[in-house]
Amino acid sequence: MEGDGIQVERRDEIAALNSSADEVSHLALDIGGTLIKMVYFSSDSDWPVDDEGKRSSKEKGSKNCNFVNGRLHFMKFETRKINDCLQFISSKQLHHYGGWHTEAPVDCKNIIKATGGGAFKFADLFKEKLEISLDKVEEMDSLVAGANFLLKAVDREAFTYMDGEKEYLQIDHNDLYPYLLVNIGSGVSMIKVDGDGVYERVSGTSIGGGTFWGLGKLLTKCKSFDELLELSHQGNNRVIDMLVGDIYGGMDYSKIGLSSTAIASSFGKAISENKEIEDYRPEDVARSLLRMISNNIGQISYLNALRFGLKRIFFGGFFIRGHAYTMDTIAVAVNFWSKGEAKAMFLRHEGFLGVMGAFMSYPNNGLDHLMSKQLVEQLPKSACCPKHEARSPLLGDLTENGSIECSVQLCL
Ligand SMILES: Nc1ncnc2c1ncn2[C@@H]1O[C@H](COP(=O)(O)OP(=O)(O)O)[C@@H](O)[C@H]1O
Ligand SMILES: CC(C)(COP(=O)(O)O)[C@@H](O)C(=O)NCCC(=O)O
């Protein structure tokens, strides 16, 4: 049978699932250069099936649809450890639960929406190991769909960051476009977004998150990205960066608006000192590197915003990881270069934009609306919240694995 929402078909697995506490659907993947992002929905409790093994309605909505409460799960894995991801999917039997389609023939099961370059690169691996077919969703389409959805559906998804303070923003749905979306993954894509599905990738740079992690690993011998980020937290970039004051005898270069503490040349001090890499503290190296890359991205983003007259720049991608210093550097760069005209904004679900887009591409009509309603209803509707306010579970930044409550509409 068919309805307005996600369509459900009688299937052996569905009957089998009846015995398990959580029922899972809509597994989607974003397989990037560094990280694999995963989203899936699980209903809160078992969903009764009728005598024929079909799911029956707990609470019938119009057109034979069910409103199912549950959780949206967010996970990430390192792409170089893709077997961990395959293992997770297999152990949780997630691969049986892509979208549920009435008309999907039996041999079309195990079709999972996937975006990112890895949807091409690893298609054979998924087929071979789990008999999963990856239904590819274009990467930029996914990023834009995910960003638009989150900005509209999740209250206070976006926030500014300045001087150590977060300020959540209430986005006016009628005044969202145009904006510049800067996705800082392994590399960086800059996308001018003019509407739902209306966008142009206007620029990009290969100096992105992969550069920070790759160079940082070589220079500091860090074993994990989190370790590198933690090191940068404790470091002092002035030990290695050449500042305007180092060149101008401690003075500002006020004529061109540069203070003595502004970085004149990233890593520039290293040339004038008789030191090897071992003579620098890894903390300071990590800090300089993070500052150099964040500054550069902030500046290129601003230039592209200027190119198209865009005032708002949303930054996504897992490079940011909700890290205060990264956000501060990007925000200061945008503010500095635009003379306060453009604003850098960050997203709570920063790294999950692409996978959310892939998730949203499962054919349905009810999911978007219902999720929006659920997510928005659980958050206070103030236009702007006090700084440093206490967080509800839903307000936590989703930079790590986690889940959020929502409901989806499934139709029989
Ligand atoms: N746990 C982690 N392991 C590796 N890199 C991480 C991690 N967390 C954040 N990062 C950063 O995020 C970047 C990947 O961001 P992401 O948006 O997932 O891009 P991609 O789709 O290219 O994998 C990495 O290059 C690195 O800078
Ligand atoms: C090729 C990519 C779209 C892949 O996305 P990613 O896995 O980095 O998230 C991205 O790395 C990128 O936009 N690189 C910058 C290439 C350039 O414009 O120079």
Side-chain angles (χ1 to χ4, degrees):
M1 272 190 277
E2 241 174 67
D4 264 350
I6 300 158
Q7 295 139 23
V8 182
E9 185 197 23
R10 176 185 174 181
R11 288 199 187 157
D12 293 346
E13 313 89 272
I14 290 174
L17 251 183
N18 191 35
S19 57
S20 70
D22 279 4
E23 296 189 57
V24 173
S25 71
H26 300 85
L27 169 65
L29 298 169
D30 173 3
I31 311 174
T34 312
L35 298 172
I36 300 172
K37 282 72 60 179
M38 174 191 288
V39 169
Y40 61 93
F41 175 77
S42 71
S43 63
D44 280 343
S45 54
D46 54 318
W47 196 9
V49 291
D50 63 18
D51 296 343
E52 296 168 4
K54 269 183 192 152
R55 289 171 184 273
S56 64
S57 301
K58 272 179 181 165
E59 186 190 316
K60 290 256 185 199
S62 59
K63 298 184 183 163
N64 226 10
C65 292
N66 297 283
F67 302 106
V68 185
N69 291 323
R71 300 193 77 83
L72 208 51
H73 299 259
F74 295 85
M75 304 277 299
K76 64 177 155 56
F77 303 84
E78 287 185 56
T79 307
R80 66 188 171 130
K81 297 179 186 165
I82 193 164
N83 281 332
D84 291 355
C85 174
L86 295 169
Q87 175 63 33
F88 180 82
I89 293 172
S90 167
S91 67
K92 288 221 150 210
Q93 293 287 295
L94 295 179
H95 49 306
H96 296 304
Y97 306 103
W100 289 316
H101 308 282
T102 324
E103 276 140 27
V106 176
D107 58 359
C108 281
K109 60 187 182 182
N110 294 4
I111 299 177
I112 302 298
K113 295 282 183 190
T115 188
F120 294 84
K121 184 174 172 183
F122 297 113
D124 290 347
L125 185 72
F126 274 82
K127 190 79 197 160
E128 188 190 309
K129 296 260 169 142
L130 297 176
E131 289 182 29
I132 286 178
S133 297
L134 299 181
D135 185 6
K136 299 173 191 67
V137 190
E138 210 283 322
E139 184 171 353
M140 300 297 133
D141 284 353
S142 300
L143 281 172
V144 171
N148 282 345
F149 169 72
L150 290 164
L151 284 166
K152 288 183 201 162
V154 182
D155 209 12
R156 291 185 278 161
E157 169 68 19
F159 59 91
T160 56
Y161 193 89
M162 202 53 93
D163 302 325
E165 307 238 305
K166 258 183 195 176
E167 196 166 314
Y168 287 95
L169 305 165
Q170 183 77 32
I171 302 286
D172 177 354
H173 294 190
N174 299 316
D175 188 28
L176 173 62
Y177 310 112
Y179 67 84
L180 186 71
L181 176 63
V182 178
N183 192 64
I184 317 176
S186 306
V188 186
S189 280
M190 298 179 185
I191 309 165
K192 176 175 173 278
V193 182
D194 288 303
D196 269 332
V198 186
Y199 70 86
E200 184 189 353
R201 184 183 184 276
V202 292
S203 194
T205 166
S206 61
I207 300 174
T211 320
F212 174 62
W213 179 205
L215 257 184
K217 199 173 167 199
L218 290 177
L219 294 173
T220 68
K221 311 274 186 259
C222 269
K223 292 282 178 281
S224 74
F225 180 84
D226 287 343
E227 201 188 327
L228 182 63
L229 211 52
E230 181 53 33
L231 271 185
S232 75
H233 195 64
Q234 297 156 17
N236 176 6
N237 68 296
R238 294 178 188 190
V239 176
I240 303 177
D241 290 343
M242 189 186 283
L243 308 186
V244 169
D246 295 325
I247 302 172
Y248 272 75
M251 286 166 33
D252 295 339
Y253 186 175
S254 349
K255 189 162 185 275
I256 59 166
L258 293 175
S259 75
S260 63
T261 54
I263 299 172
S265 170
S266 292
F267 285 84
K269 233 177 223 165
I271 57 170
S272 58
E273 293 173 342
N274 195 18
K275 285 185 180 171
E276 300 298 326
I277 184 72
E278 297 76 25
D279 299 321
Y280 290 99
R281 293 192 321 147
E283 291 88 330
D284 301 336
V285 173
R287 184 82 162 197
S288 288
L289 194 55
L290 185 61
R291 188 92 195 252
M292 179 177 84
I293 289 166
S294 305
N295 249 332
N296 193 55
I297 293 170
Q299 185 172 9
I300 298 173
S301 304
Y302 154 70
L303 288 171
N304 277 288
L306 181 73
R307 215 175 128 201
F308 298 101
L310 308 171
K311 297 271 182 266
R312 284 178 299 189
I313 312 175
F314 291 104
F315 289 88
F318 261 128
F319 166 70
I320 300 169
R321 277 292 286 278
H323 191 243
Y325 190 65
T326 309
M327 294 191 294
D328 203 55
T329 306
I330 291 174
V332 167
V334 169
N335 188 56
F336 175 82
W337 288 107
S338 72
K339 298 192 172 63
E341 283 285 297
K343 260 209 172 357
M345 288 177 273
F346 304 93
L347 301 169
R348 291 201 349 247
H349 296 83
E350 52 178 27
F352 292 107
L353 307 184
V355 76
M356 270 314 295
F359 180 90
M360 300 299 296
S361 73
Y362 277 111
N364 70 83
N365 298 312
L367 181 65
D368 185 298
H369 167 72
L370 274 167
M371 282 178 55
S372 317
K373 187 165 162 275
Q374 285 290 316
L375 291 170
V376 171
E377 274 176 0
Q378 291 178 49
L379 295 167
K381 287 212 165 90
S382 58
C384 172
C385 61
K387 290 161 183 172
H388 297 313
E389 75 161 14
R391 290 170 171 179
S392 78
L394 251 175
L395 278 173
D397 295 341
L398 239 167
T399 59
E400 303 303 329
N401 296 339
S403 65
I404 54 175
E405 278 176 38
C406 66
S407 75
V408 299
Q409 184 180 37
L410 301 171
C411 296
L412 292 171

